[in-house]
Amino acid sequence: MLRARHADALPRLDRVCASPTARPRARARAHAILADIHRLAGENDDALGHLHHSTALYEQLDDLTGQALSHHKLARLLAEQGQNDAAWGASEFALDLAERAARPILQADVLHDMARQRLVSGAHDQAEYFFARALEIRRAIGDRKGEADTLNNLATLRMDRGAISEALTLYEGVLALRRAIGDRRGEGATLNNLALAHKNQSRYDEALALYERALEIRREVGDRRGEGNTLGNVASILALLERYDQARALHERALSIRRSIGDIRGQAVTLYNLALVLEDLGDLERSNALLDESLSFSRQIGYVRLQAYCLRQRAIAARLTHDLDDAHMWLDEAFTCFQDLRDASLKILCHCERGFVHLAATPPHAEAARVELSQACL
């Protein structure tokens, strides 16, 4: 759904795009702005159409900067839709164009998004490389907001790798930088991430307080995607505190927001977390259905870690209903994810679950269970 200020701008922008007397550059810019408006509203087909028009006009003008920006926006849209190969190709093309146009700020933006694409797919070393390149450029040109954005994502990368204390230090520095430059939207995002770091250290009261501040800011600036993210994070803490009905209600609100804006990755994560809550509430049938939907989305966008978690959770559900053949099947598929994912903790969890499945057999397969549990200890 379009926000009011965007809706007011649409007629004027549409007139520019349709006018035979408007200059090509003005039409290209109008199409690019319309693409942003529609993408933020979750109207991805309309956004894609405007990006194609914008790109074609910039090509006619031989405007390398305009072409680079259009391909960069296209890559972001494709990544959000889960078209990873196409998104990567658009990013590489955008980077080449930005370098040829000698536009360092645009180069940094493209490198930053390339790093985020690699982060989502679990390719941490590549993500680190592209973040470092983006950060170097941002600092060289004095782009403080861009520097904060990149440092924020580097902190997330550290957290994904288990370096929680290092992530906390980075987030605190980013928060100070956001406030210094008056970046309210960025402040909300960093408060959300800082809360997640506290949650990962079991500091739930501190995390909830930070999430409330993040939620207030995200609603203030109209950040619907961010609002859905924070609602889901609050729900996850409530689930840890065994306040399952409240957690379910918040996850469902978050899911509604994710669906309304076409956020595939957000839907995948929220569906998984909601499935866990429903399992705790005893609704295994609906929980499994949501896990399957989450698994489908995570495959679509190449979110390998979430695929593995969904598969392991399906195995747990199968064990609980004593469908042990199905449990082994789900775990076999989960273990294939480790070819593309370096996550020792998740691998340990899957070995443990396989051991539990062996112990659930009649009679228990004690030796097979011992082997799996010993693998978890390696």
Side-chain angles (χ1 to χ4, degrees):
M1 183 179 296
L2 293 173
R3 294 202 290 272
R5 64 186 178 87
H6 289 156
D8 291 343
L10 284 178
R12 179 175 57 82
L13 291 167
D14 283 334
R15 285 196 297 272
V16 173
C17 291
S19 172
T21 59
R23 294 179 178 178
R25 191 176 304 281
R27 290 166 56 205
R29 288 174 178 167
H31 278 297
I33 294 169
L34 283 167
D36 283 339
I37 291 173
H38 286 293
R39 183 182 70 83
L40 290 172
E43 297 167 354
N44 294 331
D45 289 342
D46 288 334
L48 189 60
H50 285 293
L51 280 175
H52 285 316
H53 284 301
S54 175
T55 301
L57 286 164
Y58 281 128
E59 287 175 351
Q60 291 175 20
L61 293 165
D62 198 25
D63 182 338
L64 293 179
T65 299
Q67 292 177 59
L69 186 58
S70 292
H71 282 284
H72 176 45
K73 292 174 184 288
L74 177 61
R76 184 171 293 179
L77 177 61
L78 292 170
E80 289 172 357
Q81 292 181 314
Q83 299 183 46
N84 294 330
D85 291 342
W88 189 256
S91 289
E92 289 184 316
F93 193 36
L95 182 60
D96 176 66
L97 289 164
E99 289 172 346
R100 287 161 55 195
R103 294 298 301 271
I105 193 166
L106 186 51
Q107 293 174 46
D109 287 343
V110 175
L111 287 164
H112 179 92
D113 275 13
M114 292 172 81
R116 291 182 62 187
Q117 290 177 47
R118 287 302 185 238
L119 180 60
V120 168
S121 68
H124 288 156
D125 289 342
Q126 292 182 44
E128 182 101 30
Y129 167 74
F130 285 109
F131 278 138
R133 287 182 62 189
L135 186 60
E136 181 181 7
I137 294 172
R138 294 194 193 285
R139 284 175 167 164
I141 62 177
D143 178 11
R144 299 188 75 199
K145 182 183 182 303
E147 179 182 352
D149 291 340
T150 301
L151 286 170
N152 187 77
N153 281 283
L154 269 172
T156 300
L157 175 58
R158 297 286 187 274
M159 193 160 59
D160 277 2
R161 286 182 150 174
I164 306 299
S165 295
E166 188 177 347
L168 277 169
T169 300
L170 280 171
Y171 281 136
E172 292 285 3
V174 172
L175 188 59
L177 182 53
R178 301 281 202 199
R179 287 170 173 163
I181 62 177
D183 179 11
R184 289 288 281 171
R185 190 184 189 94
E187 183 181 348
T190 302
L191 283 167
N192 179 83
N193 291 340
L194 184 58
L196 181 58
H198 281 286
K199 175 204 165 191
N200 287 344
Q201 293 191 321
S202 300
R203 298 172 180 168
Y204 300 136
D205 289 340
E206 294 95 327
L208 286 172
L210 288 165
Y211 279 137
E212 286 302 320
R213 288 164 58 192
L215 196 57
E216 179 182 352
I217 292 173
R218 289 182 145 176
R219 285 171 172 161
E220 172 194 319
V221 301
D223 182 3
R224 293 281 284 163
R225 188 184 302 273
E227 180 184 354
N229 186 21
T230 301
L231 284 171
N233 289 335
V234 173
S236 293
I237 291 183
L238 294 177
L240 288 171
L241 298 174
E242 299 185 358
R243 293 157 62 179
Y244 298 123
D245 287 328
Q246 291 174 284
R248 176 178 60 186
L250 285 182
H251 278 315
E252 287 173 344
R253 283 171 59 191
L255 184 60
S256 177
I257 291 173
R258 304 289 203 187
R259 293 197 194 281
S260 72
I261 62 175
D263 180 3
I264 293 177
R265 185 176 188 274
Q267 288 179 66
V269 172
T270 306
L271 286 162
Y272 173 79
N273 289 325
L274 180 55
L276 298 185
V277 171
L278 290 171
E279 180 182 306
D280 287 326
L281 288 168
D283 191 349
L284 283 180
E285 183 176 354
R286 187 173 174 222
S287 175
N288 285 339
L290 295 185
L291 284 171
D292 289 343
E293 190 176 357
S294 177
L295 182 59
S296 176
F297 279 135
S298 60
R299 283 172 171 156
Q300 180 182 340
I301 62 176
Y303 196 170
V304 181
R305 177 178 286 102
L306 185 56
Q307 291 176 47
Y309 273 103
C310 286
L311 292 163
R312 172 180 169 268
Q313 202 61 36
R314 285 296 264 126
I316 292 173
R319 173 171 58 81
L320 292 174
T321 56
H322 214 69
D323 296 323
L324 302 187
D325 288 341
D326 284 350
H328 281 298
M329 177 193 70
W330 292 116
L331 285 170
D332 286 343
E333 193 170 350
F335 274 102
T336 65
C337 295
F338 298 124
Q339 298 172 8
D340 304 313
L341 184 67
R342 297 174 182 175
D343 190 330
S345 62
L346 180 53
K347 195 169 186 177
I348 289 169
L349 290 173
C350 286
H351 276 298
C352 287
E353 179 55 32
R354 179 159 275 168
F356 297 150
V357 173
H358 284 306
L359 290 174
T362 307
H365 300 161
E367 178 58 24
R370 186 193 66 79
V371 170
E372 289 296 335
L373 293 173
S374 67
Q375 286 290 319
C377 296
L378 293 178

